[in-house]
Amino acid sequence: MNEIVIKSILNKHKKRDSWFLTDYSVNPYQGCAMNCLYCYIRGSKYGVKMNVSVKKEAVKILDKQLSLRAKKQQYGFIALASATDPYMPIEKETELTRQFLQVILKYRFSVYVMTRSNLLFRDLDLLHEIDKQAIIPDDLKNRINRGVILASSFCTLDNEIARRFEPNAAPPMERMEMLGKLK
């Protein structure tokens, strides 16, 4: 497992994303094993072959950064893994995403999770608690009354086509079933 050293993990957006309602983003991993051909990250500095690296001390750094934001009452939605999938196969071993959710719950931030994996079910206990306990920013209270937004995306519902474009993602119908169960 490749590890990289980081100094910061919480990214503050210049302004709230009007589409996803996120104010922050965190990425427990660098790179993505889902290897979706259409991913915008493939054109970034990480290149076409996206090796996955674990960010060393990421949980401890996130705890420190969210603690400071919470003390200043700077609550908002956190996009959990905006540049990677938070539930790649490596997550079964590292449980970084789960640990991130525990820290997010501790400081009562809201979370937006986009995944193409049904491993998300493992963390429903934490997501449910975040949903109940998150402090929603005042200016969003008239738009949303929950602390968790869960999403998945699809390029197609055809399994053969999906396997070509999203080789390591859960099949489209599994994702549809996942969203149905989550609803």
Side-chain angles (χ1 to χ4, degrees), residues 25-151:
S25 63
V26 294
N27 289 288
Y29 306 100
Q30 179 177 294
C32 185
M34 294 302 189
N35 207 23
C36 301
L37 293 179
Y38 53 80
C39 182
Y40 73 95
I41 297 299
R42 295 172 67 88
S44 72
K45 66 181 179 181
Y46 306 112
V48 173
K49 184 169 172 33
M50 291 195 284
N51 296 316
V52 176
S53 299
V54 175
K55 295 181 177 180
K56 195 172 181 178
E57 302 291 328
V59 177
K60 187 168 115 177
I61 294 168
L62 179 62
D63 189 278
K64 182 179 177 183
Q65 289 182 299
L66 284 185
S67 172
L68 293 171
R69 295 288 178 169
K71 284 178 186 170
K72 295 177 182 178
Q73 298 289 302
Q74 296 175 336
Y75 290 98
F77 273 88
I78 299 171
L80 182 53
S82 61
T84 184
D85 194 298
Y87 290 103
M88 295 181 289
I90 195 171
E91 173 61 20
K92 291 177 188 172
E93 179 183 341
T94 67
E95 295 192 354
L96 267 179
T97 295
R98 182 163 180 83
Q99 293 173 64
F100 273 36
L101 289 171
Q102 290 168 335
V103 173
I104 289 168
L105 174 60
K106 176 180 175 181
Y107 294 107
R108 300 182 62 197
F109 278 78
S110 309
V111 68
Y112 174 94
V113 181
M114 165 75 86
T115 186
R116 290 174 188 83
S117 169
N118 57 13
L119 181 56
L120 171 109
F121 284 120
R122 179 201 66 193
D123 295 338
L124 284 182
D125 59 333
L126 289 171
L127 292 164
H128 181 71
E129 285 304 309
I130 292 169
D131 194 44
K132 289 191 319 189
Q133 296 185 32
I135 297 172
I136 309 296
D138 288 338
D139 64 323
L140 284 180
K141 286 182 180 174
N142 64 343
R143 290 182 67 189
I144 191 162
N145 63 352
R146 46 186 343 115
V148 174
I149 299 172
L150 303 174

Side-chain angles (χ1 to χ4, degrees), residues 162-175:
R163 235 187 314 270
R164 290 183 191 142
F165 284 94
E166 306 167 329
N168 299 321
M173 293 317 291
E174 280 184 30
R175 282 181 265 164

Side-chain angles (χ1 to χ4, degrees), residues 13 15-23 77 112 114 140 143-144 149 151-153:
H13 301 187
K15 65 178 188 164
R16 176 176 296 131
D17 184 300
S18 61
W19 186 260
F20 300 109
L21 303 179
T22 55
D23 300 284
F77 273 88
Y112 174 94
M114 165 75 86
L140 284 180
R143 290 182 67 189
I144 191 162
I149 299 172
S152 192
S153 66

Side-chain angles (χ1 to χ4, degrees), residues 169-183:
M173 293 317 291
E174 280 184 30
R175 282 181 265 164
M176 290 292 282
E177 288 173 20
M178 175 181 73
L179 291 174
K181 289 176 183 176
L182 291 171
K183 189 175 185 310

